């Protein structure tokens, strides 16, 4: 029986320290997760540097991809926040490209026989990574909201037109709802990536198990193989969609900070 | 160069961007459905994470309050209800947001 003792579906999410480092008692080792984050940053930076190296009037394929990405995010920011939201464009663009690159890098198959630390690793399938990104977004919302509106930002928690006797309850609910934003942002991205990659691995295990089952049933392994092709395509969509959702929700939350008085 | 803007010259950049803007303005309606697409699973993930997040935050707040103030189990009970309400509120907002374009007050580009 091949396959049964092969890697389980969760092994791909294991964190492996590559370069042990420590700061006092804090472990700051370079792990495979950190390595793949660095790779994501390097790949996206290299892509955009290459894309804008020749600023042609009629763009080549690389340049037009970069321009489409720019237009896409700029439209998103303008649509959700309005023109004054464009000061957040660098942040939203960076966020979108980083998540998209990290998601897409995770879809690359591992080179067979590579040491475990170098297996392709989806950093966005770890909730601590997505949670850190979400906390960053919400921190910007809170800091900018108070900076721009002062205490008027707190009006966010008190929607207009609520009877006064209901207000304490509504404020509490709105407060919990606000606190749940970073959590729902991070859960969504992490759960999507985790589920997709587990499904991929389970299908892959089916192929190996069926193939090992001998001549009578071996041919059946074509079905999970077709399945894995379909799931990979779906995952490409999900990788893009989740980066988009994360970015657009950041925009919508930033809109609250920019237009806090309009509630 | 191309000061005289002869007929043989390619159209000037200004004119081109005007035509581009006109063309863009024309298909502004065609772009709307983009916000709506996305698989059903994506929607399900979005809505369930909204509900779950509200509940988790409510429970954590209530539980934390209990730990700090020793009011167990009332903080947790209140937290569960508040969290559930917040989760439902989140889901309602998310449904509203996925159904159509971003809120109208965000559109004012003056």
């Amino acid at each position: 029986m091949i396959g049964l003792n092969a890697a389980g579906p969760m092994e791909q999410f294991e964190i492996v320290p590559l370069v042990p480092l420590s700061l006092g008692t804090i472990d700051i080792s370079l792990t495979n997760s950190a390595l793949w984050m660095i790779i994501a940053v390097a790949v996206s930076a290299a892509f955009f540097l290459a894309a804008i190296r020749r600023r042609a009037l009629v763009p080549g394929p690389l340049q037009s991809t970069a321009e489409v990405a720019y237009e896409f995010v700029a439209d998103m920011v303008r649509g959700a926040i309005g023109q004054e939201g464009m000061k957040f464009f660098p942040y939203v663009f960076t966020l979108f490209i980083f998540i998209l690159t990290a998601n897409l890098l995770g879809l690359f198959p591992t080179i067979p026989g590579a040491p475990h630390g170098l297996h392709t690793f989806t950093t966005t399938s770890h909730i601590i990574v997505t949670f850190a990104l979400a906390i960053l977004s919400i921190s910007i919302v809170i800091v900018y909201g108070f900076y721009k509106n002062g205490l008027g930002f707190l009006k966010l928690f008190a929607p207009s037109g609520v009877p006064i006797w209901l207000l304490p309850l509504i404020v509490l609910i709105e407060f919990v709802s606000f606190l749940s934003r970073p959590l729902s942002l991070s859960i969504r991205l992490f759960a999507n990536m985790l589920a997709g990659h587990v499904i991929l691995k389970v299908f892959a295990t089916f192929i190996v198990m069926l193939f090992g089952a001998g001549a009578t049933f071996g041919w059946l392994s074509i079905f999970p193989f077709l399945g894995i092709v379909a799931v990979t395509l779906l995952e490409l969509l999900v990788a893009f969609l989740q980066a988009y959702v994360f970015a657009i929700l950041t925009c919508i939350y930033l809109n609250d900070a920019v237009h806090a008085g309009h509630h | 160069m191309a000061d005289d803007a002869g007929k043989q010259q390619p159209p000037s950049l200004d004119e081109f961007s005007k035509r581009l803007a006109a063309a863009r303005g024309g298909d502004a309606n065609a772009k709307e459905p983009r916000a709506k697409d996305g698989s059903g699973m994506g929607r399900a993930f979005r809505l369930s994470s909204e509900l779950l997040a509200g509940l988790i935050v409510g429970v954590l707040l209530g539980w934390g309050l209990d730990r700090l103030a020793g009011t167990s189990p009332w903080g947790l009970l209140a937290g569960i209800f508040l969290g559930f309400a917040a989760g439902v509120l989140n889901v309602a907002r998310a449904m509203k947001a996925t159904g159509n374009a971003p809120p109208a007050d965000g559109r004012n580009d003056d």
Side-chain angles (χ1 to χ4, degrees), chain B residues 36-107:
Chain B
K36 255 187 237 171
D37 67 8
S39 56
M41 196 164 107
R43 255 174 90 95
F45 261 117
R46 158 122 217 241
L47 296 180
S48 51
S49 72
E50 294 283 4
L51 187 60
L52 196 64
L55 201 53
I56 290 176
V57 168
V59 166
L60 282 182
L61 278 183
W63 185 70
L65 189 76
D66 278 349
R67 292 282 302 241
L68 287 178
T71 49
S72 177
W74 300 108
L76 186 59
L77 281 175
I80 287 173
F81 281 105
L82 273 182
F84 186 73
V88 172
L89 183 68
N90 284 347
V91 170
R93 288 214 176 115
M95 290 289 287
K96 223 191 290 177
T98 48
N100 47 27
D105 61 339
R107 281 269 183 204

